[in-house]
Amino acid sequence: MDFFSERNFVVAAALSYVLVFIAFFPSYFASIDEHSILKNALLLREGNFALAESNPELACRASNYTSNGYVAGQFAGKSFFLLPFTFLGLEGVMISGLVVHLLNAFLLYLIFKRLSIDARFTILYIFFPAMIWESRTLFSELLVLTFFLGAFYFYLKKANFSSVISGALFGLAAFVRYDAAAGFMAFAAPLIIFDRRKLMGMLAGFVPAIALIALFNSAVYGGALQTGYGSGTSIAASVFSAFGLPTFLLSVLLLALVYPLMLPSIFAPKWRPYLAAFALLALGYLALNSRFTSFLAFDSSFATIVTARMRYLIPLAGMLLIPYALFLAGALERAKNTFNAFNFNKLKFNSNWVYAAALILFIVAGAYASSAHAGFINSRLQTYMQIRGNVPQGALMVGSSDDCIYSLSQNLERLPYLNVMPRQELTTKGPPLKLEERIGSSTYFIELRYSRHAGNDSQRQATIDAERAAMSDFLAANLDRLQLVFDTNSPNPLKIYRWEGG
């Protein structure tokens, strides 16, 4: 068996990552967005296709209210994908990211083969820091990349029906995250000049997908142009008015930090046929990222920046790996020719050893990153076990900030939860909601802080601290009505109180 053949090498790299993933299995999730995506999948499993919850104690971070009840703002496409994994329990849900990650690697391999690029460069994707991180979470950007890669694979084909499939896949990417419609626009716009026939095919696939999104919006959010984040038209109009130049520039820098020259690789001479589409894709995603997030609002550690903070750029970065692999293949060939020209003791340049060294380095780095993430996630799991071990399953849990992520049973049953500031998590458009009217003898209050966030002075942390302070104030004002039932500082400072009334 030739280990360095393209297929065998990529299979070995993929299996290596699977082993790393299993060794440092992500035992839990950490963000409220992930919880909302999972909650929507559980609602779908229950047959609730309106994704609405009438009971505020089961709604948990719902930013919308319709005639059907409270609705979360997160895009629903990833929730549909997660649905079959929910039948396998929490472990099944957490393995879903690995499935998407491997699928993306396979699609990238196919694209490299079709473009006659050495497919061994697929390792650039498999061990890309942000891809490793998101494959261990429930976020949706890797799934957007899945549809982008699939759409581009069919975009490369000449057959008319392939263009229809490409358009449909771009439409499915938009269903996972509506801002992914920028992908279709980027690849369709140049066709207005260069290939109108292909454009018509892509539109034939894309328009039905958009019609499906409009019907979904009408059923779930109350209007074809409504989204979980408000009116689609007003959001689109605000892209340039709310443009954040610092985040734009930092995003460009970030792409350069992970893999040097990745963004400029779209200007490589051999990539000229796709330059316009990729340039538009890059500009679109960088502009959208600058509108909807801010690097200055969150923890600014390097590890966080090249993983979690790069989350929104994952679809762009994954696509940029295609011209980047072409650029690196040329650079490797030039290095080989230069080395051989000097004839060092009749040694010959062997690119296989470059790939072998890269694979070893990537596996070590991937294992280190996965280990660090597993340590962080395991602390969340420990806190989850402490809470669920001391709060009876049917009891109402009251917390603050993102404590709602712990409102699941071991078998993914949704359990009662309210924020100490109910309107902080639930839209004000719903029925009147007063915490004191919900409190009873089976109510438990959670006072939680995370050790790793101590001293964090980001804008996001200021919001979290305000909610934590509200919980502390409530507990201090009602101390004579509460009984402390659990107290620990490991892995995070946590106190659990039972309401005694009086």
Side-chain angles (χ1 to χ4, degrees):
M1 183 182 71
D2 181 8
F3 175 80
F4 289 104
S5 71
E6 294 179 52
R7 183 190 64 184
N8 292 343
F9 185 82
V10 173
V11 168
L15 289 177
S16 297
Y17 182 70
V18 170
L19 292 176
V20 168
F21 186 93
I22 294 173
F24 303 105
F25 192 84
S27 54
Y28 206 67
F29 53 90
S31 87
I32 196 66
D33 285 359
E34 292 175 272
H35 181 276
S36 294
I37 290 170
L38 176 56
K39 182 190 74 174
N40 281 344
L42 296 174
L43 286 171
L44 291 172
R45 191 176 74 175
E46 296 167 9
N48 185 343
F49 292 96
L51 300 180
E53 176 55 67
S54 58
N55 183 355
E57 295 180 9
L58 298 178
C60 180
R61 194 54 67 96
S63 55
N64 304 277
Y65 188 81
T66 70
S67 58
N68 295 313
Y70 294 95
V71 181
Q74 279 66 28
F75 302 103
K78 179 63 182 286
S79 299
F80 278 92
F81 174 81
L82 274 184
L83 174 58
F85 293 93
T86 63
F87 293 99
L88 303 175
L90 181 60
E91 291 79 8
V93 167
M94 296 312 301
I95 208 170
S96 63
L98 176 63
V99 173
V100 178
H101 189 55
L102 295 177
L103 178 57
N104 288 352
F106 176 68
L107 289 170
L108 201 56
Y109 174 87
L110 293 179
I111 291 171
F112 286 156
K113 296 291 284 185
R114 185 161 191 82
L115 291 172
S116 299
I117 301 172
D118 193 327
R120 289 177 290 183
F121 282 110
T122 304
I123 65 170
L124 294 173
Y125 167 80
I126 294 174
F127 295 99
F128 194 101
M131 313 304 182
I132 290 176
W133 176 81
E134 183 145 328
S135 73
R136 302 172 56 81
T137 73
L138 303 180
F139 289 113
S140 59
E141 290 76 18
L142 271 186
L143 188 58
V144 171
L145 178 58
T146 303
F147 290 116
F148 272 13
L149 292 171
F152 185 62
Y153 177 76
F154 285 99
Y155 183 90
L156 293 170
K157 293 188 173 184
K158 302 298 182 183
N160 290 336
F161 192 66
S162 295
S163 299
V164 177
I165 298 175
S166 178
L169 291 172
F170 273 123
L172 290 175
F175 183 59
V176 177
R177 280 190 63 94
Y178 293 177
D179 51 0
F184 174 81
M185 296 176 189
F187 282 86
L191 298 180
I192 297 174
I193 299 173
F194 300 115
D195 194 338
R196 293 187 180 88
R197 186 173 183 179
K198 180 188 280 285
L199 174 62
M200 292 299 104
M202 290 184 67
L203 283 169
F206 185 71
V207 170
I210 296 304
L212 178 63
I213 292 174
L215 288 173
F216 178 83
N217 289 346
S218 296
V220 175
Y221 304 118
L225 298 180
Q226 290 297 119
T227 75
Y229 298 93
S231 168
T233 53
S234 62
I235 293 173
S238 71
V239 169
F240 295 102
S241 62
F243 179 80
L245 183 60
T247 296
F248 183 92
L249 295 176
L250 287 169
S251 298
V252 173
L253 177 62
L254 179 56
L255 291 172
L257 283 174
V258 181
Y259 287 149
L261 300 178
M262 184 167 68
L263 185 56
S265 68
I266 65 175
F267 296 99
K270 291 184 179 180
W271 199 248
R272 191 167 292 117
Y274 312 107
L275 170 60
F278 274 72
L280 289 172
L281 181 68
L283 286 173
Y285 255 88
L286 290 170
L288 287 169
N289 188 56
S290 302
R291 160 60 180 87
F292 295 115
T293 188
S294 171
F295 275 103
L296 306 178
F298 294 86
D299 174 20
S300 58
S301 68
F302 180 77
T304 301
I305 288 174
V306 298
T307 54
R309 298 313 312 139
M310 199 175 183
R311 166 190 162 193
Y312 300 104
L313 295 177
I314 280 176
L316 170 61
M319 294 294 284
L320 288 177
L321 288 175
I322 305 170
Y324 191 57
L326 181 63
F327 164 76
L328 289 182
L332 190 60
E333 184 64 26
R334 288 190 294 273
K336 176 182 178 180
N337 293 336
T338 301
F339 183 91
N340 291 339
F342 281 99
N343 194 23
F344 292 112
N345 296 321
K346 297 183 179 180
L347 290 174
K348 292 295 183 181
F349 184 96
N350 189 339
S351 59
N352 286 344
W353 296 112
V354 175
Y355 287 112
L359 179 57
I360 293 171
L361 178 63
F362 280 150
I363 291 174
V364 171
Y368 174 79
S370 299
S371 173
H373 184 257
F376 162 65
I377 288 298
N378 286 340
S379 73
R380 290 290 199 271
L381 178 64
Q382 285 181 261
T383 296
Y384 167 79
M385 298 300 293
Q386 290 166 347
I387 291 174
R388 297 312 339 158
N390 288 279
V391 177
Q393 186 154 313
L396 172 64
M397 182 172 76
V398 179
S400 60
S401 187
D402 294 345
D403 294 346
C404 178
I405 66 172
Y406 303 113
S407 63
L408 292 171
S409 69
Q410 294 282 62
N411 62 350
L412 298 183
E413 178 186 355
R414 296 180 298 120
L415 301 174
Y417 172 86
L418 282 177
N419 191 295
V420 69
M421 303 167 65
R423 291 306 180 189
Q424 192 76 0
E425 281 200 348
L426 301 177
T427 175
T428 58
K429 297 179 181 179
L433 180 61
K434 295 181 179 180
L435 181 63
E436 56 269 25
E437 295 177 357
R438 298 273 175 171
I439 296 174
S441 58
S442 59
T443 301
Y444 288 73
F445 290 82
I446 308 300
E447 186 176 30
L448 171 65
R449 293 184 182 274
Y450 294 120
S451 301
R452 72 188 302 268
H453 290 166
N456 187 341
D457 59 356
S458 67
Q459 296 174 27
R460 169 61 177 153
Q461 188 61 40
T463 302
I464 294 173
D465 290 344
E467 289 191 46
R468 299 296 194 204
M471 173 59 80
S472 297
D473 292 344
F474 179 91
L475 295 175
N478 295 277
L479 199 57
D480 57 332
R481 307 180 188 186
L482 297 163
Q483 179 182 353
L484 181 67
V485 296
F486 185 78
D487 185 2
T488 186
N489 284 312
S490 178
N492 300 295
L494 169 66
K495 292 181 179 180
I496 301 176
Y497 298 86
R498 183 174 62 242
W499 182 262
E500 294 292 308

